[in-house]
Amino acid sequence: MKTYQIVIAGGGAAGISVAASLKQRDSSLTIAIIEPSETHVYQPGQTLVGRGVMSLEQLKRPTRSFIPANVDWIKASVTEFKPESNEVALDNGDTLTYEHLIVSLGLKLNIEGIEGLSETLGQNGVTSNYVTELSAYTWEQVQQLRSGRALFTQPPMPIKCAGAPQKAMYLSCDYWLKEHRLSGVDVEFHNAGAVLFGVGEFVPVLESYVKKYGIDTCYGSTLIKVDGPAKKAWFKQGDGSVTETHFDLLHVTPAQCAPDVVAGSSLANDAGWVDVDQKTLQHTRFANVFSLGDVCSAPNAKTAAAVRKQVPIVADNLLAVRKQQSMPGVYDGYGACPLTVEVGKVVLAEFGYGGSLKPSFPLDPRVPRSLYWWMKTTGFPWVYWNLMMRGREWLVKTNP
Ligand code: FAD
């Protein structure tokens, strides 16, 4: 049984970034990252692949190239958390022990929760930008559709990047408009929720795009079943009734939940997420456990932008706990959602807990801007690969 000072479960955006930040602070720490995947994917780019603005290859880099020096990469999956004995069991039969644990396993797309979806996803015009490889299929289908009915779905919250279902829709509409096809395409947005966007300040500008593209919005409408070959989708309505709709293109955002290995462990809260204090990101019951990224219970927008702010807070707080000092880092719930309302324009929604606006720039955040399109396509990927994933914490304060 091998022992580390810090074990990081999950080496995606959050896991790798926090390992890099910890090593910047103390290069003597013994750290292991448990991560099964050889390839790291820049998921925010999947929206752009779905519109042909980026290629899938541009989103992928070898995991190996981001593992910080002197950090052990354990290429395996966690099969069990045993926080009572400070152990983590792996699918290769090994068990690791730790002094401190960071859980950053991301979340699970609940594709099986929609009857018939797994059989047809990636065929028959049924796609999802949430599945990395299918974002290219989205773009193929958007280009192929000359007329007919296009459905875009949004499940109950929480999901990662809550704006991404709409981003796929607006960018597709933008293409059909520019190709003079939009008048022949019926576009419907089936949203399980009751509002277009959770932060009210951004709703008017999004509604103006809904109007511009002639989108029918259906609130309280949840996708429950798909028949790909028959091109039919079924939606459960708020009153419990079920409606059947024909489609030519169906962009699905599946419901999202904590990975089973977390939800079934004593780390989980009632909803399955790692139960953390939303300010310190320390576990509420196991003081030597921290969590960040999509898997943690903090009620922020689950985004890479949130991860960028959470990383130094977890690094500072965990090291303070190791020295038996009080924790200095306070997370204010910052997350950001660059809403791609058309090619060349983005509404940059930045907000914290309770929907408080947290713009990084002295500009009205409700206005679609080409500057933010540049950031979405060029600036943010650069920050992700060269700063966040390398432990360089520019413009991030651990105590706002
Ligand atoms: P991930 O990056 O998903 O990493 C989790 C890691 O855990 C993975 O590498 C996985 O292999 C590993 N893992 C899973 N199970 C196990 C196990 N049992 N054992 C060991 N390892 C395991 N964010 C933004 O900021 N802006 C955007 O515009 C934006 N747009 C998005 C659009 C789409 C379509 C999608 C899908 C996401 C978008 N996001 C956006 C969200 C952002 O990508 C995520 O919030 C971010 O990647 C979360 O990081 P994470 O480390 O928590 O999870």
Side-chain angles (χ1 to χ4, degrees), residues 234-292:
W234 286 264
F235 294 89
K236 189 169 183 185
Q237 305 302 317
D239 62 5
S241 63
V242 173
T243 54
E244 181 189 306
T245 311
H246 166 84
F247 66 83
D248 297 285
L249 184 156
L250 173 62
H251 181 277
V252 181
T253 302
Q256 297 168 28
C257 55
D260 298 342
V261 67
V262 170
S265 77
S266 52
L267 295 174
N269 68 5
D270 290 344
W273 308 103
V274 180
D275 199 0
V276 294
D277 176 282
Q278 68 177 47
K279 289 188 177 157
T280 63
L281 303 176
Q282 183 186 38
H283 198 275
T284 54
R285 296 180 297 281
F286 301 100
N288 65 338
V289 178
F290 285 78
S291 179
L292 73 167

Side-chain angles (χ1 to χ4, degrees), residues 26-295:
D26 182 351
S27 59
S28 71
L29 290 166
T30 62
I31 302 180
I33 297 180
I34 308 163
E35 167 59 50
S37 178
E38 297 262 4
T39 305
H40 184 95
V41 178
Y42 176 66
Q43 297 172 36
Q46 290 171 205
T47 297
L48 299 172
V49 175
R51 178 57 170 87
V53 176
M54 277 180 126
S55 69
L56 265 180
E57 288 61 43
Q58 284 175 283
L59 309 187
K60 295 180 180 176
R61 303 214 179 157
T63 300
R64 164 77 59 205
S65 61
F66 290 95
I67 304 290
N70 301 318
V71 167
D72 282 358
W73 174 19
I74 317 279
K75 203 171 156 304
S77 291
V78 177
T79 52
E80 191 179 358
F81 289 103
K82 302 178 190 172
E84 294 80 6
S85 53
N86 299 327
E87 291 175 335
V88 173
L90 307 180
D91 63 351
N92 62 11
D94 289 347
T95 296
L96 303 182
T97 60
Y98 56 79
E99 294 170 9
H100 287 87
L101 172 70
I102 298 175
V103 185
S104 46
L105 289 191
L107 54 68
K108 179 175 119 176
L109 302 177
N110 190 9
I111 289 170
E112 300 306 325
I114 299 168
E115 190 182 336
L117 181 59
S118 61
E119 292 88 329
T120 194
L121 202 48
Q123 303 169 65
N124 305 306
V126 182
T127 190
S128 178
N129 284 351
Y130 275 81
V131 180
T132 303
E133 299 303 323
L134 292 188
S135 49
Y137 181 65
T138 301
W139 177 225
E140 201 183 296
Q141 292 303 303
V142 168
Q143 291 174 97
Q144 278 179 19
L145 189 73
R146 309 202 80 80
S147 63
R149 182 175 292 150
L151 309 180
F152 293 81
T153 77
Q154 180 171 304
M157 294 291 134
I159 59 172
K160 53 181 156 185
C161 196
Q166 285 178 66
K167 298 187 214 180
M169 178 171 70
Y170 298 139
L171 289 179
S172 302
C173 288
D174 171 83
Y175 175 78
W176 295 321
L177 183 67
K178 286 178 177 149
E179 293 295 310
H180 308 289
R181 297 182 202 166
L182 189 58
S183 57
V185 183
D186 289 333
V187 183
E188 292 179 10
F189 184 47
H190 287 265
N191 181 351
V195 291
L196 194 53
F197 195 70
V199 182
E201 276 82 353
F202 298 104
V203 170
V205 65
L206 297 177
E207 275 175 345
S208 74
Y209 276 92
V210 165
K211 197 167 165 211
K212 171 180 170 181
Y213 295 133
I215 296 165
D216 283 331
T217 48
C218 312
Y219 293 105
S221 183
T222 309
L223 180 68
I224 54 167
K225 182 178 165 187
V226 185
D227 182 338
K231 301 238 169 184
K232 284 183 185 164
W234 286 264
F235 294 89
K236 189 169 183 185
Q237 305 302 317
D239 62 5
S241 63
V242 173
T243 54
E244 181 189 306
T245 311
H246 166 84
F247 66 83
D248 297 285
L249 184 156
L250 173 62
H251 181 277
V252 181
T253 302
Q256 297 168 28
C257 55
D260 298 342
V261 67
V262 170
S265 77
S266 52
L267 295 174
N269 68 5
D270 290 344
W273 308 103
V274 180
D275 199 0
V276 294
D277 176 282
Q278 68 177 47
K279 289 188 177 157
T280 63
L281 303 176
Q282 183 186 38
H283 198 275
T284 54
R285 296 180 297 281
F286 301 100
N288 65 338
V289 178
F290 285 78
S291 179
L292 73 167
D294 293 347
V295 75

